[in-house]
Amino acid sequence: LDAKRHLFLFYKEAVHNIIKHSGATVVSIRLWDEGDKLALEVIDNGRGLPKIVVDGKEVTKPVRKLDERARVLEGSLEMRAEPGKGTRVLLIVKRSLLTAAPTIK
């Protein structure tokens, strides 16, 4: 249940950020199975995210709350953005983490 909650809150945070900060006029949300994994992708045509330099390479600055939830879910998070061209957020998590049967005590 906790993993499902974190997945929902990840989705909610991604959409909230688009509404509040991006200025996007188009949003695409996809959820699909990828083998033994579940993928959630959110794409918008908004402002994009700022860039930072990590190890000499310019990368999209992570969104702290999304990054934290991806870690809790033991998932992989990819964020790509171009200023003025929008943002793509892709989260991939193990399905077994989301479908594990609860322990009965």
Side-chain angles (χ1 to χ4, degrees):
L1 182 63
D2 200 38
K4 289 178 185 178
R5 182 172 133 327
H6 282 291
L7 180 62
F8 171 74
L9 291 173
F10 180 95
Y11 162 80
K12 182 179 170 186
E13 181 70 23
V15 171
H16 171 82
N17 289 345
I18 292 168
I19 293 167
K20 188 171 180 181
H21 303 292
S22 78
T25 57
V26 177
V27 178
S28 169
I29 299 168
R30 292 189 326 142
L31 184 67
W32 71 94
D33 282 328
E34 199 166 273
D36 66 339
K37 296 181 171 71
L38 183 75
L40 171 64
E41 177 185 62
V42 181
I43 300 173
D44 70 58
N45 69 342
R47 289 186 189 93
L49 294 169
K51 301 283 187 171
I52 59 172
V53 177
V54 176
D55 298 328
K57 184 179 177 184
E58 190 177 66
V59 297
T60 300
K61 182 179 178 184
V63 175
R64 184 181 51 83
K65 285 184 180 180
L66 295 179
D67 199 42
E68 288 172 3
R69 293 216 186 271
R71 285 181 208 192
V72 168
L73 288 164
E74 300 173 25
S76 88
L77 176 61
E78 178 185 317
M79 297 184 76
R80 285 191 286 171
E82 291 297 323
K85 294 184 180 178
T87 302
R88 176 181 184 250
V89 175
L90 176 64
L91 174 68
I92 299 177
V93 296
K94 292 179 184 174
R95 290 184 73 235
S96 60
L97 184 70
L98 301 169
T99 59
T103 305
I104 300 174
K105 294 183 180 184

XYZ file of all heavy atoms in Angstrom:
824
model
N 0.823 -1.198 0.000
C 0.000 0.000 0.000
C 0.863 1.256 0.000
O 0.571 2.205 -0.699
C -0.948 -0.015 1.198
C -1.901 1.173 1.281
C -2.835 1.167 0.078
C -2.698 1.124 2.550
N 1.944 1.226 0.759
C 2.809 2.400 0.839
C 3.412 2.730 -0.524
O 3.464 3.885 -0.922
C 3.901 2.156 1.875
C 4.512 3.455 2.350
O 3.777 4.441 2.507
O 5.750 3.474 2.554
N 3.846 1.716 -1.272
C 4.435 1.942 -2.596
C 3.391 2.528 -3.546
O 3.694 3.446 -4.315
C 5.011 0.649 -3.145
N 2.171 2.013 -3.499
C 1.110 2.542 -4.368
C 0.823 4.006 -4.021
O 0.593 4.827 -4.909
C -0.165 1.709 -4.228
C -0.039 0.338 -4.859
C -1.297 -0.467 -4.646
C -1.120 -1.877 -5.159
N -2.293 -2.698 -4.925
N 0.852 4.319 -2.755
C 0.633 5.692 -2.303
C 1.724 6.612 -2.841
O 1.456 7.700 -3.333
C 0.578 5.733 -0.779
C 0.300 7.097 -0.179
C 0.083 6.927 1.311
N 0.712 7.753 2.267
C 1.891 8.350 2.282
N 2.679 8.214 1.284
N 2.317 9.074 3.273
N 2.973 6.160 -2.753
C 4.082 6.970 -3.263
C 3.995 7.153 -4.776
O 4.320 8.225 -5.292
C 5.431 6.358 -2.876
C 5.800 6.629 -1.454
N 6.131 7.895 -1.000
C 5.893 5.808 -0.391
C 6.399 7.832 0.292
N 6.253 6.585 0.681
N 3.546 6.124 -5.488
C 3.376 6.242 -6.930
C 2.299 7.278 -7.247
O 2.485 8.140 -8.113
C 3.010 4.893 -7.552
C 2.811 4.898 -9.068
C 4.093 5.286 -9.786
C 2.329 3.535 -9.532
N 1.181 7.215 -6.537
C 0.120 8.201 -6.744
C 0.619 9.607 -6.421
O 0.359 10.560 -7.164
C -1.108 7.876 -5.888
C -2.126 8.982 -5.909
C -2.912 9.195 -7.032
C -2.276 9.826 -4.822
C -3.835 10.235 -7.070
C -3.194 10.865 -4.850
C -3.975 11.070 -5.970
N 1.353 9.761 -5.320
C 1.857 11.085 -4.938
C 2.904 11.595 -5.925
O 2.999 12.806 -6.155
C 2.402 11.055 -3.511
C 1.324 10.865 -2.435
C 1.955 10.682 -1.065
C 0.328 12.014 -2.433
N 3.682 10.699 -6.525
C 4.624 11.087 -7.571
C 3.849 11.692 -8.744
O 4.175 12.773 -9.234
C 5.429 9.866 -8.041
C 6.425 10.184 -9.115
C 7.739 10.452 -8.791
C 6.049 10.222 -10.452
C 8.663 10.760 -9.777
C 6.955 10.525 -11.449
C 8.272 10.795 -11.106
N 2.823 10.974 -9.191
C 1.978 11.438 -10.290
C 1.347 12.798 -9.952
O 1.378 13.742 -10.746
C 0.896 10.393 -10.576
C -0.277 10.902 -11.353
C -0.210 11.057 -12.731
C -1.465 11.236 -10.706
C -1.292 11.530 -13.449
C -2.542 11.717 -11.423
C -2.452 11.859 -12.782
O -3.525 12.340 -13.482
N 0.804 12.898 -8.757
C 0.136 14.123 -8.320
C 1.120 15.300 -8.302
O 0.793 16.401 -8.753
C -0.463 13.902 -6.929
C -1.221 15.079 -6.371
C -1.793 14.725 -5.013
C -2.342 15.963 -4.342
N -2.768 15.697 -2.973
N 2.322 15.071 -7.804
C 3.350 16.124 -7.750
C 3.764 16.563 -9.154
O 3.921 17.754 -9.421
C 4.568 15.627 -6.975
C 5.675 16.644 -6.848
C 5.339 17.806 -5.933
O 4.465 17.667 -5.059
O 5.966 18.876 -6.101
N 3.918 15.603 -10.059
C 4.298 15.939 -11.435
C 3.241 16.826 -12.089
O 3.568 17.847 -12.710
C 4.515 14.666 -12.250
N 1.984 16.466 -11.937
C 0.892 17.248 -12.530
C 0.777 18.615 -11.838
O 0.612 19.648 -12.505
C -0.438 16.468 -12.474
C -1.611 17.352 -12.892
C -0.361 15.228 -13.346
N 0.908 18.637 -10.528
C 0.860 19.901 -9.773
C 1.946 20.858 -10.269
O 1.691 22.053 -10.468
C 1.031 19.622 -8.274
C 1.205 20.858 -7.463
N 0.140 21.630 -7.063
C 2.316 21.459 -6.986
C 0.600 22.667 -6.374
N 1.905 22.575 -6.320
N 3.163 20.346 -10.467
C 4.260 21.194 -10.937
C 3.974 21.776 -12.313
O 4.300 22.933 -12.585
C 5.575 20.408 -10.965
C 6.101 20.126 -9.586
O 5.669 20.715 -8.606
N 7.023 19.185 -9.497
N 3.355 20.995 -13.178
C 3.002 21.493 -14.511
C 2.002 22.629 -14.396
O 2.178 23.701 -14.983
C 2.437 20.362 -15.392
C 3.537 19.354 -15.716
C 1.814 20.928 -16.669
C 3.022 18.062 -16.321
N 0.958 22.404 -13.610
C -0.090 23.419 -13.456
C 0.463 24.699 -12.838
O 0.171 25.798 -13.294
C -1.255 22.868 -12.600
C -1.970 21.757 -13.362
C -2.224 23.975 -12.212
C -2.920 20.937 -12.506
N 1.290 24.552 -11.829
C 1.767 25.704 -11.066
C 2.924 26.450 -11.737
O 2.996 27.673 -11.645
C 2.196 25.248 -9.675
C 2.534 26.387 -8.741
C 2.740 25.906 -7.333
C 3.072 27.077 -6.422
N 3.296 26.644 -5.056
N 3.824 25.734 -12.408
C 5.072 26.364 -12.835
C 5.343 26.391 -14.335
O 6.105 27.231 -14.792
C 6.260 25.650 -12.175
C 6.211 25.622 -10.690
N 6.347 26.753 -9.916
C 6.047 24.590 -9.828
C 6.265 26.422 -8.637
N 6.076 25.119 -8.555
N 4.768 25.474 -15.107
C 5.268 25.291 -16.472
C 4.687 26.234 -17.517
O 5.329 26.517 -18.510
C 5.026 23.857 -16.926
O 3.678 23.665 -17.292
N 3.451 26.647 -17.321
C 2.789 27.429 -18.360
C 2.428 26.583 -19.571
O 2.179 27.104 -20.656
N 2.386 25.279 -19.398
C 2.100 24.361 -20.509
C 0.664 24.491 -20.981
O -0.238 24.798 -20.211
C 2.369 22.919 -20.065
N 0.474 24.223 -22.271
C -0.871 24.191 -22.839
C -1.269 22.768 -23.241
O -2.436 22.506 -23.502
C -0.964 25.091 -24.085
O 0.011 24.672 -25.044
C -0.726 26.552 -23.714
N -0.293 21.859 -23.292
C -0.551 20.470 -23.638
C 0.223 19.577 -22.676
O 1.403 19.816 -22.408
C -0.112 20.147 -25.089
C -0.312 18.669 -25.403
C -0.864 21.015 -26.087
N -0.458 18.542 -22.151
C 0.169 17.576 -21.249
C -0.213 16.180 -21.722
O -1.367 15.933 -22.056
C -0.303 17.765 -19.784
C 0.315 16.716 -18.876
C 0.022 19.161 -19.292
N 0.764 15.300 -21.740
C 0.528 13.904 -22.107
C 0.962 13.030 -20.939
O 2.072 13.192 -20.422
C 1.350 13.557 -23.354
O 1.339 12.169 -23.576
N 0.080 12.114 -20.524
C 0.389 11.208 -19.414
C 0.164 9.783 -19.909
O -0.899 9.472 -20.447
C -0.512 11.501 -18.204
C -0.278 12.935 -17.722
C -0.239 10.489 -17.085
C -1.281 13.435 -16.729
N 1.192 8.953 -19.760
C 1.090 7.548 -20.185
C 1.545 6.651 -19.042
O 2.473 6.978 -18.310
C 1.999 7.266 -21.389
C 1.583 7.944 -22.643
C 2.353 7.492 -23.867
N 3.746 7.159 -23.621
C 4.394 6.147 -24.214
N 3.774 5.378 -25.088
N 5.657 5.914 -23.958
N 0.890 5.512 -18.923
C 1.226 4.497 -17.935
C 1.194 3.162 -18.665
O 0.205 2.851 -19.329
C 0.203 4.516 -16.798
C 0.416 3.591 -15.622
C 1.650 3.990 -14.834
C -0.801 3.616 -14.718
N 2.289 2.382 -18.590
C 2.328 1.115 -19.310
C 3.251 0.117 -18.623
O 4.090 0.491 -17.813
C 2.737 1.318 -20.768
C 4.176 1.684 -20.990
C 5.203 0.827 -21.255
C 4.757 2.984 -20.974
N 6.379 1.514 -21.407
C 6.132 2.847 -21.242
C 4.252 4.260 -20.758
C 7.007 3.932 -21.290
C 5.131 5.337 -20.812
C 6.475 5.169 -21.080
N 3.028 -1.167 -18.976
C 3.894 -2.249 -18.518
C 5.097 -2.324 -19.431
O 4.966 -2.197 -20.650
C 3.173 -3.603 -18.580
C 2.209 -3.794 -17.429
O 2.482 -3.267 -16.354
O 1.192 -4.472 -17.636
N 6.233 -2.580 -18.833
C 7.466 -2.763 -19.586
C 8.164 -3.982 -18.983
O 9.002 -3.863 -18.098
C 8.325 -1.507 -19.470
C 9.380 -1.377 -20.523
C 9.965 0.023 -20.551
O 9.391 0.890 -21.238
O 10.981 0.234 -19.888
N 7.736 -5.165 -19.431
C 8.257 -6.400 -18.836
C 7.759 -6.525 -17.409
O 6.567 -6.473 -17.147
N 8.691 -6.649 -16.469
C 8.322 -6.753 -15.055
C 8.306 -5.386 -14.377
O 8.320 -5.289 -13.165
C 9.279 -7.694 -14.329
C 10.703 -7.155 -14.275
O 11.043 -6.284 -15.101
O 11.472 -7.596 -13.407
N 8.251 -4.332 -15.184
C 8.274 -2.973 -14.638
C 7.038 -2.197 -15.099
O 6.405 -2.540 -16.080
C 9.540 -2.258 -15.093
C 10.795 -2.907 -14.540
C 12.008 -2.155 -14.981
C 13.241 -2.630 -14.277
N 13.726 -3.907 -14.639
N 6.737 -1.142 -14.349
C 5.653 -0.224 -14.680
C 6.297 1.123 -14.996
O 7.155 1.591 -14.243
C 4.702 -0.087 -13.499
C 3.487 0.785 -13.727
C 2.478 0.027 -14.588
C 2.847 1.164 -12.412
N 5.897 1.729 -16.101
C 6.450 3.018 -16.505
C 5.363 4.087 -16.454
O 4.235 3.856 -16.874
C 7.024 2.926 -17.911
N 5.724 5.246 -15.931
C 4.845 6.410 -15.885
C 5.598 7.562 -16.538
O 6.700 7.908 -16.113
C 4.494 6.778 -14.437
C 3.756 8.097 -14.225
C 2.384 8.069 -14.888
C 3.622 8.409 -12.742
N 4.992 8.119 -17.580
C 5.621 9.213 -18.314
C 4.687 10.415 -18.328
O 3.497 10.278 -18.609
C 5.908 8.770 -19.747
C 6.496 9.841 -20.624
C 6.630 9.368 -22.059
O 5.591 9.053 -22.681
O 7.759 9.295 -22.533
N 5.236 11.575 -18.018
C 4.484 12.825 -18.054
C 5.282 13.801 -18.915
O 6.451 14.067 -18.630
C 4.268 13.407 -16.638
C 3.457 14.690 -16.709
C 3.593 12.391 -15.724
N 4.652 14.304 -19.972
C 5.311 15.231 -20.897
C 4.463 16.490 -21.004
O 3.244 16.412 -21.108
C 5.459 14.604 -22.301
C 6.285 13.325 -22.227
C 6.083 15.604 -23.277
C 6.337 12.563 -23.538
N 5.131 17.650 -21.004
C 4.405 18.903 -21.221
C 5.163 19.770 -22.224
O 6.314 19.492 -22.546
C 4.174 19.647 -19.897
C 5.435 20.228 -19.300
O 6.099 21.038 -19.973
O 5.763 19.882 -18.155
N 4.498 20.806 -22.706
C 5.121 21.728 -23.661
C 5.415 23.076 -23.014
O 5.430 24.101 -23.672
C 4.226 21.907 -24.894
C 2.945 22.668 -24.591
O 2.535 22.790 -23.434
N 2.296 23.167 -25.625
N 5.687 23.059 -21.719
C 5.887 24.295 -20.959
C 7.287 24.866 -21.025
O 8.043 24.614 -21.962
N 7.642 25.613 -19.986
C 8.903 26.350 -19.912
C 10.138 25.463 -19.837
O 11.235 25.904 -20.109
C 8.915 27.225 -18.672
C 8.002 28.384 -18.748
C 8.169 29.290 -17.527
N 7.118 30.265 -17.558
C 5.946 30.130 -16.951
N 5.701 29.074 -16.223
N 5.029 31.060 -17.060
N 9.976 24.244 -19.382
C 11.140 23.396 -19.151
C 11.709 23.639 -17.764
O 11.181 24.436 -16.991
N 12.760 22.946 -17.443
C 13.411 23.071 -16.144
C 14.801 23.652 -16.322
O 15.415 23.495 -17.379
C 13.518 21.690 -15.477
C 12.204 21.029 -15.098
C 12.443 19.571 -14.700
C 11.547 21.774 -13.964
N 15.323 24.290 -15.270
C 16.681 24.832 -15.387
C 17.714 23.716 -15.505
O 17.463 22.576 -15.138
C 16.867 25.618 -14.084
C 15.782 25.188 -13.175
C 14.707 24.564 -13.999
N 18.890 24.073 -16.011
C 19.998 23.135 -16.147
C 21.024 23.390 -15.043
O 21.153 24.512 -14.561
C 20.692 23.298 -17.506
C 19.787 23.088 -18.703
C 19.528 21.639 -18.936
C 18.754 21.442 -20.241
N 18.648 20.079 -20.622
N 21.731 22.325 -14.647
C 22.857 22.439 -13.720
C 24.010 21.630 -14.308
O 23.820 20.818 -15.209
C 22.510 21.932 -12.304
C 22.078 20.458 -12.330
C 21.446 22.800 -11.652
C 21.911 19.829 -10.958
N 25.213 21.859 -13.804
C 26.378 21.122 -14.274
C 26.740 20.068 -13.234
O 26.929 20.375 -12.062
C 27.567 22.068 -14.530
C 28.809 21.277 -14.944
C 27.207 23.094 -15.595
N 26.798 18.806 -13.674
C 27.175 17.683 -12.815
C 28.312 16.941 -13.513
O 28.155 16.490 -14.644
C 25.979 16.727 -12.575
C 26.409 15.521 -11.755
C 24.831 17.453 -11.895
N 29.438 16.844 -12.818
C 30.615 16.172 -13.389
C 30.983 16.742 -14.759
O 31.299 16.004 -15.696
C 30.405 14.658 -13.484
C 30.204 14.007 -12.118
O 30.782 14.512 -11.139
O 29.478 13.008 -12.049
N 30.893 18.046 -14.884
C 31.269 18.710 -16.128
C 30.258 18.610 -17.251
O 30.500 19.061 -18.360
N 29.096 18.019 -16.970
C 28.061 17.833 -18.000
C 26.799 18.582 -17.589
O 26.380 18.509 -16.441
C 27.769 16.341 -18.150
C 26.798 16.014 -19.242
C 26.596 14.511 -19.343
C 25.570 14.179 -20.391
N 25.279 12.751 -20.446
N 26.185 19.293 -18.536
C 24.957 20.022 -18.254
C 23.772 19.057 -18.279
O 23.575 18.334 -19.253
C 24.757 21.126 -19.289
C 23.638 22.078 -18.922
C 23.493 23.206 -19.909
O 23.123 22.934 -21.079
O 23.756 24.355 -19.528
N 23.008 19.027 -17.179
C 21.847 18.140 -17.070
C 20.660 18.929 -16.532
O 20.812 19.998 -15.965
C 22.131 16.924 -16.138
C 23.237 16.057 -16.694
C 22.466 17.385 -14.726
N 19.468 18.360 -16.707
C 18.256 18.968 -16.169
C 18.299 18.897 -14.651
O 18.588 17.848 -14.074
C 17.014 18.232 -16.696
O 17.000 18.327 -18.117
C 15.731 18.827 -16.135
N 18.016 20.013 -13.999
C 17.994 20.050 -12.541
C 16.856 19.171 -12.028
O 15.706 19.333 -12.434
C 17.798 21.485 -12.063
C 17.804 21.623 -10.559
C 17.637 23.069 -10.129
C 17.612 23.161 -8.623
N 17.350 24.525 -8.174
N 17.160 18.216 -11.125
C 16.094 17.347 -10.614
C 15.085 18.124 -9.766
O 15.412 19.133 -9.164
C 16.829 16.325 -9.750
C 18.264 16.688 -9.763
C 18.448 17.920 -10.572
N 13.861 17.636 -9.755
C 12.829 18.188 -8.884
C 12.880 17.363 -7.604
O 12.667 16.146 -7.628
C 11.437 18.105 -9.553
C 10.352 18.577 -8.602
C 11.428 18.914 -10.845
N 13.209 18.006 -6.489
C 13.505 17.322 -5.234
C 12.430 16.315 -4.819
O 12.734 15.160 -4.523
C 13.719 18.342 -4.110
C 14.115 17.716 -2.784
C 14.289 18.755 -1.685
N 13.174 19.657 -1.533
C 12.074 19.383 -0.838
N 11.930 18.245 -0.235
N 11.099 20.277 -0.736
N 11.171 16.719 -4.813
C 10.108 15.814 -4.344
C 9.951 14.598 -5.262
O 9.739 13.490 -4.792
C 8.776 16.551 -4.223
C 8.704 17.462 -3.016
C 7.325 18.072 -2.899
C 7.229 18.979 -1.697
N 5.905 19.574 -1.571
N 10.058 14.810 -6.568
C 9.954 13.682 -7.502
C 11.146 12.749 -7.330
O 10.995 11.522 -7.335
C 9.866 14.180 -8.941
C 8.622 14.984 -9.313
C 8.693 15.416 -10.769
C 7.350 14.201 -9.039
N 12.312 13.323 -7.155
C 13.525 12.540 -6.947
C 13.424 11.696 -5.677
O 13.753 10.508 -5.673
C 14.725 13.485 -6.878
C 16.038 12.792 -7.120
O 16.104 11.945 -8.035
O 16.997 13.094 -6.393
N 12.922 12.295 -4.595
C 12.771 11.573 -3.320
C 11.772 10.419 -3.455
O 12.021 9.314 -2.970
C 12.297 12.523 -2.222
C 13.355 13.496 -1.761
C 12.813 14.560 -0.820
O 11.604 14.524 -0.467
O 13.602 15.443 -0.432
N 10.662 10.654 -4.112
C 9.659 9.586 -4.265
C 10.190 8.452 -5.142
O 9.927 7.284 -4.880
C 8.369 10.139 -4.835
C 7.686 11.081 -3.861
C 6.205 10.998 -3.900
N 5.636 12.024 -3.043
C 5.374 11.853 -1.761
N 5.634 10.706 -1.176
N 4.856 12.832 -1.042
N 10.931 8.796 -6.183
C 11.526 7.756 -7.035
C 12.489 6.889 -6.220
O 12.518 5.669 -6.371
C 12.247 8.388 -8.211
N 13.239 7.494 -5.330
C 14.163 6.730 -4.477
C 13.408 5.821 -3.526
O 13.784 4.667 -3.331
C 15.059 7.664 -3.684
C 16.125 8.287 -4.517
C 17.000 9.176 -3.712
N 17.525 10.193 -4.620
C 18.479 11.002 -4.329
N 19.046 10.956 -3.154
N 18.893 11.882 -5.200
N 12.337 6.323 -2.930
C 11.519 5.512 -2.026
C 10.952 4.308 -2.777
O 10.888 3.203 -2.240
C 10.375 6.351 -1.401
C 9.355 5.470 -0.710
C 10.947 7.373 -0.416
N 10.583 4.517 -4.032
C 10.012 3.453 -4.854
C 11.090 2.558 -5.478
O 10.766 1.623 -6.203
C 9.155 4.051 -5.971
C 7.837 4.659 -5.514
C 7.246 5.552 -6.600
C 6.859 3.566 -5.121
N 12.348 2.872 -5.206
C 13.478 2.136 -5.784
C 13.372 2.108 -7.304
O 13.676 1.116 -7.958
C 13.555 0.717 -5.221
C 13.740 0.666 -3.730
C 13.655 -0.741 -3.160
O 13.923 -1.711 -3.893
O 13.316 -0.856 -1.970
N 12.910 3.220 -7.857
C 12.715 3.311 -9.298
C 13.794 4.123 -9.969
O 14.620 4.750 -9.322
N 13.754 4.100 -11.284
C 14.670 4.944 -12.038
C 13.873 6.145 -12.544
O 12.742 6.007 -13.005
C 15.306 4.158 -13.182
O 14.541 4.199 -14.332
N 14.480 7.308 -12.420
C 13.822 8.553 -12.810
C 14.666 9.241 -13.863
O 15.868 9.430 -13.680
C 13.659 9.471 -11.593
C 13.062 10.849 -11.847
C 11.655 10.746 -12.413
C 13.061 11.668 -10.564
N 14.015 9.597 -14.958
C 14.683 10.344 -16.021
C 13.903 11.627 -16.232
O 12.687 11.602 -16.425
C 14.688 9.517 -17.303
C 15.322 10.212 -18.475
C 15.199 9.392 -19.749
O 15.403 8.167 -19.696
O 14.878 10.001 -20.788
N 14.613 12.739 -16.171
C 13.981 14.035 -16.410
C 14.775 14.732 -17.512
O 15.974 14.897 -17.391
C 13.977 14.878 -15.148
C 13.168 14.250 -14.041
S 13.051 15.288 -12.595
C 11.860 16.451 -13.182
N 14.065 15.102 -18.571
C 14.690 15.845 -19.659
C 13.859 17.076 -19.930
O 12.628 16.997 -19.958
C 14.787 14.994 -20.914
C 15.877 13.949 -20.826
C 16.119 13.311 -22.146
N 15.000 12.414 -22.424
C 14.799 11.812 -23.578
N 15.598 12.009 -24.570
N 13.778 11.008 -23.738
N 14.546 18.174 -20.123
C 13.833 19.423 -20.393
C 14.704 20.336 -21.241
O 15.923 20.298 -21.155
C 13.475 20.123 -19.095
N 14.039 21.120 -22.037
C 14.684 22.168 -22.811
C 13.938 23.453 -22.496
O 12.709 23.487 -22.610
C 14.604 21.874 -24.305
C 15.448 20.701 -24.742
C 16.935 20.926 -24.509
O 17.410 22.071 -24.682
O 17.620 19.952 -24.146
N 14.662 24.498 -22.100
C 13.984 25.762 -21.806
C 13.081 26.194 -22.958
O 13.496 26.224 -24.109
C 15.146 26.742 -21.603
C 16.285 25.863 -21.143
C 16.101 24.566 -21.895
N 11.822 26.441 -22.638
C 10.844 26.881 -23.621
C 10.269 25.770 -24.481
O 9.392 26.017 -25.302
N 10.746 24.535 -24.298
C 10.263 23.428 -25.136
C 9.607 22.318 -24.336
O 9.198 21.319 -24.897
C 11.420 22.844 -25.949
C 11.975 23.807 -26.956
C 13.030 23.155 -27.783
C 13.591 24.126 -28.801
N 14.655 23.510 -29.594
N 9.528 22.460 -23.032
C 8.821 21.469 -22.243
C 9.718 20.510 -21.480
O 10.934 20.589 -21.523
N 9.043 19.596 -20.783
C 9.712 18.662 -19.885
C 9.141 17.265 -20.082
O 7.952 17.103 -20.321
C 9.491 19.097 -18.414
O 10.002 20.420 -18.252
C 10.179 18.165 -17.439
N 10.010 16.272 -19.942
C 9.596 14.861 -19.966
C 10.106 14.220 -18.686
O 11.288 14.271 -18.373
C 10.194 14.129 -21.158
C 9.858 12.641 -21.169
C 10.504 11.966 -22.364
N 10.121 10.572 -22.448
C 10.965 9.557 -22.219
N 12.215 9.792 -21.899
N 10.544 8.313 -22.324
N 9.184 13.636 -17.931
C 9.516 12.920 -16.699
C 9.126 11.462 -16.920
O 7.991 11.169 -17.293
C 8.730 13.500 -15.494
C 8.973 12.679 -14.241
C 9.086 14.956 -15.275
N 10.075 10.554 -16.694
C 9.822 9.130 -16.862
C 10.257 8.403 -15.594
O 11.413 8.481 -15.192
C 10.586 8.575 -18.062
C 10.490 7.064 -18.284
C 9.058 6.649 -18.599
C 11.428 6.631 -19.397
N 9.308 7.721 -14.974
C 9.570 6.914 -13.785
C 9.330 5.458 -14.140
O 8.290 5.120 -14.709
C 8.633 7.317 -12.638
C 8.699 6.451 -11.379
C 10.039 6.624 -10.668
C 7.545 6.776 -10.451
N 10.288 4.597 -13.796
C 10.130 3.162 -14.011
C 10.353 2.460 -12.681
O 11.379 2.672 -12.025
C 11.114 2.636 -15.079
C 10.842 3.338 -16.408
C 10.985 1.124 -15.217
C 11.778 2.966 -17.519
N 9.354 1.657 -12.263
C 9.430 0.935 -10.990
C 9.122 -0.545 -11.208
O 8.440 -0.911 -12.168
C 8.459 1.521 -9.936
C 8.826 2.947 -9.588
C 7.027 1.446 -10.393
N 9.613 -1.365 -10.295
C 9.317 -2.793 -10.358
C 7.852 -3.019 -10.019
O 7.352 -2.512 -9.018
C 10.175 -3.555 -9.350
C 11.635 -3.563 -9.677
C 12.398 -4.312 -8.623
C 13.878 -4.233 -8.893
N 14.662 -4.828 -7.808
N 7.162 -3.779 -10.861
C 5.741 -4.058 -10.610
C 5.558 -4.852 -9.325
O 4.573 -4.678 -8.621
C 5.138 -4.820 -11.787
C 5.008 -3.944 -13.017
C 4.330 -4.626 -14.175
N 2.921 -4.749 -13.904
C 2.247 -5.900 -13.939
N 2.845 -7.010 -14.255
N 0.966 -5.936 -13.684
N 6.505 -5.735 -9.021
C 6.380 -6.565 -7.823
C 6.308 -5.709 -6.562
O 5.648 -6.080 -5.593
C 7.543 -7.547 -7.719
O 8.779 -6.849 -7.654
N 6.947 -4.552 -6.584
C 6.898 -3.646 -5.437
C 5.482 -3.104 -5.230
O 5.049 -2.865 -4.111
C 7.869 -2.481 -5.658
C 8.023 -1.484 -4.535
C 8.754 -2.131 -3.367
C 8.763 -0.251 -5.006
N 4.728 -2.971 -6.321
C 3.385 -2.402 -6.272
C 2.302 -3.451 -6.079
O 1.197 -3.119 -5.684
C 3.110 -1.616 -7.563
C 4.066 -0.464 -7.852
C 3.849 0.033 -9.260
C 3.904 0.631 -6.840
N 2.609 -4.700 -6.375
C 1.582 -5.741 -6.335
C 1.789 -6.764 -5.234
O 1.063 -7.743 -5.153
C 1.511 -6.487 -7.679
O 2.784 -7.080 -7.945
C 1.118 -5.569 -8.810
N 2.775 -6.541 -4.374
C 3.035 -7.506 -3.298
C 1.816 -7.622 -2.400
O 1.176 -6.629 -2.048
C 4.250 -7.055 -2.486
N 1.481 -8.846 -2.054
C 0.344 -9.092 -1.170
C 0.676 -8.627 0.236
O 1.802 -8.806 0.702
C 0.002 -10.570 -1.165
N -0.274 -8.032 0.925
C -0.003 -7.576 2.297
C 0.205 -8.773 3.237
O -0.352 -9.835 3.024
C -1.276 -6.797 2.666
C -2.318 -7.314 1.751
C -1.639 -7.754 0.501
N 1.023 -8.548 4.229
C 1.276 -9.577 5.226
C 0.101 -9.635 6.197
O -0.334 -8.615 6.718
C 2.549 -9.250 6.026
O 3.613 -9.071 5.076
C 2.904 -10.355 6.976
N -0.437 -10.825 6.437
C -1.541 -11.009 7.363
C -0.964 -11.433 8.705
O -0.192 -12.375 8.792
C -2.532 -12.057 6.847
C -3.101 -11.598 5.506
C -3.638 -12.312 7.863
C -3.977 -12.616 4.836
N -1.361 -10.729 9.744
C -0.838 -11.024 11.094
C -1.922 -11.556 11.972
O -3.049 -11.321 11.834
C -0.237 -9.759 11.713
C 0.970 -9.303 10.957
C 1.570 -8.097 11.632
C 2.795 -7.624 10.861
N 3.458 -6.550 11.476
